[in-house]
Amino acid sequence: MVKITKQDLTELKGHTNPPVDVRMLCEAVIILLGRPKPEWAAVKKEFGSANFIDKLVNLVKNEKDRLPASRMKKLAEYTKKKPTFTPDFMAKKSAACKLLCEWVICSENYHRVAE
């Protein structure tokens, strides 16, 4: 099993002006974590926090059954309306993008089935 690393996150947050698809993916991650749609500076700050990976793991372990419908509706604006929101497409951007895209899609699918 491949896991995202701090080095992967450093690569992503190192973008001054990321490609649209990378920005879109990072915004979706932040929305899934329950934050309002942030500007790129806020995304970089969140990705750089010491416990960011723990937040991703915590959502999967502890919060996945309590995700509000409003959050999932916001998330769907990214995952369902953007044809480039796929792990295969994101893999062309970076390994980290692919892993985060898979995480978002898996979390969304779990929520849909659990409903």
Side-chain angles (χ1 to χ4, degrees), residues 36-50:
K37 180 181 172 185
E39 297 299 319
W40 183 244
V43 169
K44 288 173 46 169
K45 182 177 179 181
E46 185 73 31
F47 275 47
S49 70

Side-chain angles (χ1 to χ4, degrees), residues 25 28-29 32 75 79 85 100-108:
L25 170 64
V29 169
L32 188 53
L75 184 65
T79 60
F85 203 98
L100 287 171
C101 187
E102 288 173 344
W103 179 80
V104 169
I105 290 171
C106 286
S107 297
E108 183 180 48

Side-chain angles (χ1 to χ4, degrees), residues 2 9 12 18 32 40 42 55-56 66 83 94 108 112:
V2 178
L9 295 173
L12 285 176
L32 188 53
W40 183 244
K55 289 177 186 178
L56 300 179
R66 298 186 312 259
S94 74
E108 183 180 48
R112 187 173 40 256

Side-chain angles (χ1 to χ4, degrees), residues 40-86:
W40 183 244
V43 169
K44 288 173 46 169
K45 182 177 179 181
E46 185 73 31
F47 275 47
S49 70
N51 62 344
F52 181 73
I53 293 174
D54 293 336
K55 289 177 186 178
L56 300 179
V57 172
N58 184 51
L59 182 106
V60 172
K61 286 184 177 179
N62 303 319
E63 297 178 43
K64 67 181 182 277
D65 294 320
R66 298 186 312 259
L67 296 173
S70 59
R71 187 182 311 173
M72 301 313 288
K73 185 177 178 180
K74 285 181 190 177
L75 184 65
E77 293 175 17
Y78 292 84
T79 60
K80 302 296 183 225
K81 296 181 181 178
K82 309 287 186 194
T84 58
F85 203 98
T86 67

